[in-house]
Amino acid sequence: MIQATCFVLFFVATALGRACPAIPSLTSFNSSTLPDPFTFANGRKVLTTQDWACRRAEISTLLQRDELGLMPADPQDLTAAFSGKTLTITVTDNNKTLTFAPTITFPTTGQGPFPALIAMGGISIPSPPGVAIINFNNEAMANQDTAASRGLGLFYDFFGTDASAGAMMAWAWAVRRIVDALEKTPTANIDLAKIGVTGCSRNGKGALVAGAFEPRITLTIPQESGSGGTDTWRISDAILANGTLTQTASEIIQENVWFSPNFDQFANTSVNQLPFDHHMLIGMVAPRALFAIDNLGYDWLGPFSSYGALVAGRTIWQAMGVADKMGFSQAANHTHCVFPSEQQGQLNAFVDRFLLGQDVSTANITTTAGTYSFVVPNAEWAPWRVPVLKKRL
Ligand SMILES: *[C@@H]1O[C@H](CO)[C@@H](O)[C@H](O)[C@H]1NC(C)=O
Ligand SMILES: *[C@@H]1O[C@H](CO)[C@@H](O)[C@H](O)[C@H]1NC(C)=O
Ligand SMILES: *[C@@H]1O[C@H](CO)[C@@H](O)[C@H](O)[C@H]1NC(C)=O
Ligand SMILES: *[C@@H]1O[C@H](CO)[C@@H](O)[C@H](O)[C@H]1NC(C)=O
Ligand SMILES: *[C@@H]1O[C@H](CO)[C@@H](O)[C@H](O)[C@H]1NC(C)=O
Ligand SMILES: *[C@@H]1O[C@H](CO)[C@@H](O)[C@H](O)[C@H]1NC(C)=O
């Protein structure tokens, strides 16, 4: 009887898998290399897809706690109305109301429902034929003019100026509400399974955060997002220490309000105490699709830092056996946020496959016009191995 009970308990425990480990307290971490995405903060290894779900949740919690601020819970009520080109979204919580109204530019041919790209602060890539563009005014949602913009914008009018969320988390929250609104308005004629997000430079940082924190986004396209986007804090600090002027955490918190005030303590002392870096923000998008667009022309953007982050982040797709869903392209020097024609074919492949549903390959789109080399594992930056995650019930 006891044996039988034990057997049943063992069987149930195996079927349910192990519980997610507890998340360690603040600043118990210290690593000059990029933290291992496949090891929990408490040291346990990530071995299965179910473990990854726990690890992803842990990374999400840590990124919110130490860098981006908290993503507010879903609102009590949301209503949406579509008229002309305008999607009017009204969010209600605790008797407060927030209204914002993205505009949609539709393809001039075809019947829909159309795939869509949410354009953070407008679109900087060529608008793909057949794809609706949803223009999201992120500046009005959370201002990003200077370091004095903290707490300014519709998000803070609604949640209070003491909300921990920095501007990028505020924008990500609003992107989630745009997807909610599209779900409630079939007349907007958008294909809910084919929604992407894009933005350039500061808005590229925001596009990455939105793609990481909204699982209903199918394709994330950060463009020239630099530090705070596809760069890692640690490699950017090393580039600066080597004498090349690039944007780092300690500079970025003085410049703008993209991050939570909680980030200041790390940016002011040592980013080595962050239990994550941005290869893990990138990896939160997996197994959904991501295509990162970079420009080698600006030291400020830290192109080697981005290269390292993208190679390291891509290991998360590799571990899941879906590396072809993640790609990146670093073009030679050109004007910031002016998309060069040599990247068009690579962009088309991702848009065609993930937004237009075409049977095209996105395998091995991992190019740089630079001379960087970065592999995983490497002793200097990524001394960890990539597992093959086993699928569990
Ligand atoms: C982190 O580790 C480095 C190198 O081992 C050491 O010099 C530094 O004092 C440590 N920092 C903290 C806050 O423990
Ligand atoms: C919202 O307003 C109603 C009616 O004035 C009031 O009864 C209720 O307590 C308010 N709720 C909150 C959370 O303030
Ligand atoms: C810094 O310079 C050293 C010595 O040239 C080099 O080995 C290292 O790769 C450089 N690191 C970065 C991040 O630029
Ligand atoms: C970070 O450094 C800035 C500039 O020295 C200072 O104003 C701010 O109070 C510091 N914040 C923290 C949390 O250390
Ligand atoms: C990119 O081109 C501009 C203009 O020709 C030049 O000033 C700049 O130094 C170049 N950047 C790099 C990294 O070569
Ligand atoms: C992609 O690269 C891998 C590893 O080098 C290779 O095995 C595979 O054949 C490549 N796939 C395509 C479609 O080029």
Side-chain angles (χ1 to χ4, degrees), residues 235-376:
I235 301 180
S236 292
D237 273 5
I239 292 171
L240 182 66
N242 267 5
T244 298
L245 189 58
T246 197
Q247 188 168 37
T248 61
S250 61
E251 187 281 338
I252 212 165
I253 60 161
Q254 308 290 331
E255 179 185 329
N256 217 302
V257 295
W258 296 309
F259 304 94
S260 171
N262 295 344
F263 187 47
D264 292 357
Q265 60 191 303
F266 298 96
N268 275 356
T269 55
S270 175
V271 297
N272 292 353
Q273 286 175 260
L274 291 168
F276 53 79
D277 212 319
H278 273 213
H279 61 308
M280 286 150 69
L281 173 66
I282 292 166
M284 276 181 67
V285 176
R288 294 171 291 122
L290 180 141
F291 178 57
I293 298 164
D294 272 351
N295 178 357
L296 297 182
Y298 298 81
D299 290 340
W300 192 247
L301 292 174
F304 174 64
S305 181
S306 181
Y307 188 77
L310 291 163
V311 171
R314 195 166 184 270
T315 64
I316 295 158
W317 280 263
Q318 283 165 352
M320 295 176 180
V322 292
D324 65 333
K325 290 186 168 184
M326 192 281 198
F328 56 84
S329 174
Q330 297 195 302
N333 195 2
H334 60 89
T335 306
H336 188 43
C337 294
V338 175
F339 186 79
S341 57
E342 69 259 30
Q343 288 177 318
Q344 189 70 58
Q346 298 173 323
L347 174 63
N348 288 353
F350 274 88
V351 168
D352 290 351
R353 180 172 172 200
F354 296 105
L355 294 185
L356 296 170
Q358 295 173 9
D359 184 18
V360 299
S361 172
T362 51
N364 300 341
I365 300 180
T366 53
T367 60
T368 179
T371 53
Y372 306 135
S373 74
F374 191 107
V375 294
V376 177

Side-chain angles (χ1 to χ4, degrees), residues 3-301:
Q3 262 178 345
T5 307
C6 283
F7 179 76
V8 168
L9 285 177
F10 173 77
F11 191 78
V12 168
T14 305
L16 293 177
R18 296 179 292 178
C20 295
I23 293 174
S25 61
L26 207 60
T27 68
S28 58
F29 201 84
N30 186 16
S31 169
S32 60
T33 58
L34 303 182
D36 178 357
F38 306 108
T39 301
F40 286 99
N42 78 351
R44 201 177 100 190
K45 292 289 176 194
V46 173
L47 301 174
T48 66
T49 51
Q50 192 181 46
D51 284 344
W52 176 257
C54 285
R55 177 64 168 141
R56 185 184 179 282
E58 176 174 89
I59 291 166
S60 168
T61 300
L62 294 170
L63 273 161
Q64 290 179 70
R65 186 188 73 182
D66 298 344
E67 183 184 311
L68 297 165
L70 296 183
M71 169 71 76
D74 290 349
Q76 283 164 349
D77 193 39
L78 181 144
T79 59
F82 179 70
S83 174
K85 294 175 62 176
T86 305
L87 181 68
T88 302
I89 304 167
T90 303
V91 182
T92 309
D93 220 329
N94 290 326
N95 291 347
K96 290 187 100 177
T97 295
L98 180 162
T99 299
F100 69 118
T103 53
I104 307 181
T105 305
F106 288 94
T108 49
T109 58
Q111 296 298 307
F114 296 104
L117 264 176
I118 299 173
M120 184 84 65
I123 187 130
S124 286
I125 54 173
S127 290
V131 177
I133 305 301
I134 301 175
N135 207 320
F136 167 47
N137 182 350
N138 57 329
E139 166 73 15
M141 185 57 58
N143 294 9
Q144 57 166 338
D145 301 321
T146 66
S149 299
R150 176 80 60 201
L152 301 179
L154 296 171
F155 178 92
Y156 300 100
D157 296 344
F158 187 65
F159 286 109
T161 52
D162 58 351
S164 71
M168 292 204 290
M169 191 52 95
W171 305 336
W173 175 87
V175 164
R176 304 193 69 187
R177 306 295 70 90
I178 293 172
V179 180
D180 290 345
L182 293 171
E183 286 179 351
K184 291 186 173 217
T185 47
T187 52
N189 207 18
I190 297 298
D191 183 345
L192 299 171
K194 297 199 177 71
I195 301 174
V197 64
T198 188
C200 195
S201 200
R202 53 183 56 198
N203 300 328
K205 308 180 205 302
L208 176 60
V209 173
F213 281 88
E214 177 42 75
R216 291 169 294 178
I217 297 286
T218 305
L219 174 62
T220 301
I221 310 177
Q223 180 185 10
E224 301 187 43
S225 62
S227 185
T230 56
D231 292 3
T232 65
W233 300 120
R234 286 166 174 85
I235 301 180
S236 292
D237 273 5
I239 292 171
L240 182 66
N242 267 5
T244 298
L245 189 58
T246 197
Q247 188 168 37
T248 61
S250 61
E251 187 281 338
I252 212 165
I253 60 161
Q254 308 290 331
E255 179 185 329
N256 217 302
V257 295
W258 296 309
F259 304 94
S260 171
N262 295 344
F263 187 47
D264 292 357
Q265 60 191 303
F266 298 96
N268 275 356
T269 55
S270 175
V271 297
N272 292 353
Q273 286 175 260
L274 291 168
F276 53 79
D277 212 319
H278 273 213
H279 61 308
M280 286 150 69
L281 173 66
I282 292 166
M284 276 181 67
V285 176
R288 294 171 291 122
L290 180 141
F291 178 57
I293 298 164
D294 272 351
N295 178 357
L296 297 182
Y298 298 81
D299 290 340
W300 192 247
L301 292 174

